[in-house]
Amino acid sequence: MSEATSNTPHQLLGLYDSPFVRRVAITMTLYGVPFEHLSLSVFRQMDAMRPINPLFKVPMLTLPDGEKLYESAYLLDYLDELAADRGLAPLTPRSGPQRRQVLQATALAIVATEKSVAIEYERKRPPELQWPEWSSRLRGQLRQAFSMLEQRLAGIARSGGSFLVGDRLTQADISTAVGIGFVRYVQPDEWPAGEYPALEALAARLEASAAFQAVPIDQ
Ligand SMILES: N[C@@H](CCC(=O)N[C@@H](CS)C(=O)NCC(=O)O)C(=O)O
């Protein structure tokens, strides 16, 4: 990969109340990649965003050479490669069974997160256009994804482990904790307190960590 040569830092576009933006910002913080945070809302600041990102979809990462990247999974893939080039262990292993496991656990976290975002969009519709059966389906999927993660983590915890995959922090843990943080922040009524104790413990631990504290959801 061609390393950044310019002095311009990476620039990350989007609010941290977006779980997709936040997981990228936390990952950059953990990797020690300095970045400028452009905190613009895709809904409330469209005029300011239009010249920068007329797609109105965040996160968007601008590289030091001006190249723009979209879709948080691909941003993370780029950052993992950058980390590996710098001799750091990527948060998603580059190959092997643990890569598959991290990707799959991350996929569950993203299903839960996307369903939560979809519930939020449904709630923003005029009351007469809301479809309760649809919200209920989304809620069922959200809970199913978190249940599957809880089952995995509770099993690992019984054997003394404290991460979703292997014995170190991975993207699966980060995306899961960020997803939980989003649900609890935006839709506290959708988080069934006490139902996912292993996930709650993981989220509490990570939210207290320096990298998560550096990227507050309400900034
Ligand atoms: N799959 C995308 C999802 C990103 C996403 O949905 N971002 C929301 C903010 S949470 C957004 O940009 N919404 C505006 C829109 O879709 O029009 C990713 O992971 O980057």
Side-chain angles (χ1 to χ4, degrees):
M1 138 178 279
S2 60
E3 262 283 357
T5 46
S6 144
N7 283 333
T8 316
H10 290 77
Q11 188 189 69
L12 180 63
L13 176 68
L15 301 181
Y16 291 157
D17 69 0
S18 161
F20 309 104
V21 176
R22 191 169 183 234
R23 71 178 185 145
V24 171
I26 290 168
T27 299
M28 294 181 86
T29 305
L30 283 165
Y31 285 154
V33 176
F35 63 97
E36 181 193 338
H37 180 214
L38 210 49
S39 186
L40 289 177
S41 163
V42 279
F43 297 112
R44 295 186 304 280
Q45 291 164 298
M46 289 182 72
D47 287 344
M49 182 160 309
R50 186 171 287 106
I52 306 161
N53 178 10
L55 265 181
F56 300 116
K57 193 87 187 166
V58 294
M60 182 187 84
L61 184 67
T62 307
L63 308 192
D65 67 1
E67 184 181 351
K68 292 178 173 183
L69 305 185
Y70 307 91
E71 193 63 44
S72 61
Y74 301 141
L75 272 53
L76 295 176
D77 187 63
Y78 160 81
L79 292 167
D80 285 348
E81 202 176 1
L82 195 64
D85 283 356
R86 294 176 180 183
L88 300 172
L91 288 159
T92 300
R94 301 306 283 169
S95 62
Q98 289 217 337
R99 172 178 173 78
R100 194 175 64 246
Q101 290 170 28
V102 169
L103 287 174
Q104 284 304 302
T106 304
L108 291 177
I110 291 305
V111 169
T113 305
E114 284 177 348
K115 297 302 168 184
S116 176
V117 170
I119 292 172
E120 194 53 23
Y121 287 160
E122 186 66 19
R123 285 184 182 185
K124 286 196 161 94
R125 288 157 66 90
E128 67 278 12
L129 295 180
Q130 290 181 20
W131 184 9
E133 290 81 4
W134 182 246
S135 296
S136 167
R137 177 193 159 94
L138 296 171
R139 188 170 300 112
Q141 291 172 299
L142 178 155
R143 294 201 177 184
Q144 179 62 29
F146 278 136
S147 295
M148 291 163 80
L149 286 165
E150 172 71 19
Q151 202 177 2
R152 178 181 182 96
L153 190 57
I156 287 168
R158 278 193 292 277
S159 4
S162 51
F163 297 105
L164 277 159
V165 180
D167 55 5
R168 70 175 181 98
L169 181 77
T170 69
Q171 191 53 240
D173 305 298
I174 295 168
S175 294
T176 298
V178 166
I180 293 168
F182 176 76
V183 177
R184 292 170 107 178
Y185 179 70
V186 179
Q187 306 155 339
D189 50 318
E190 294 291 354
W191 180 256
E195 205 170 299
Y196 310 120
L199 291 184
E200 279 187 13
L202 175 76
R205 218 171 73 233
L206 294 196
E207 288 290 354
S209 69
F212 274 64
Q213 294 269 310
V215 183
I217 193 167
D218 55 357
Q219 191 180 63

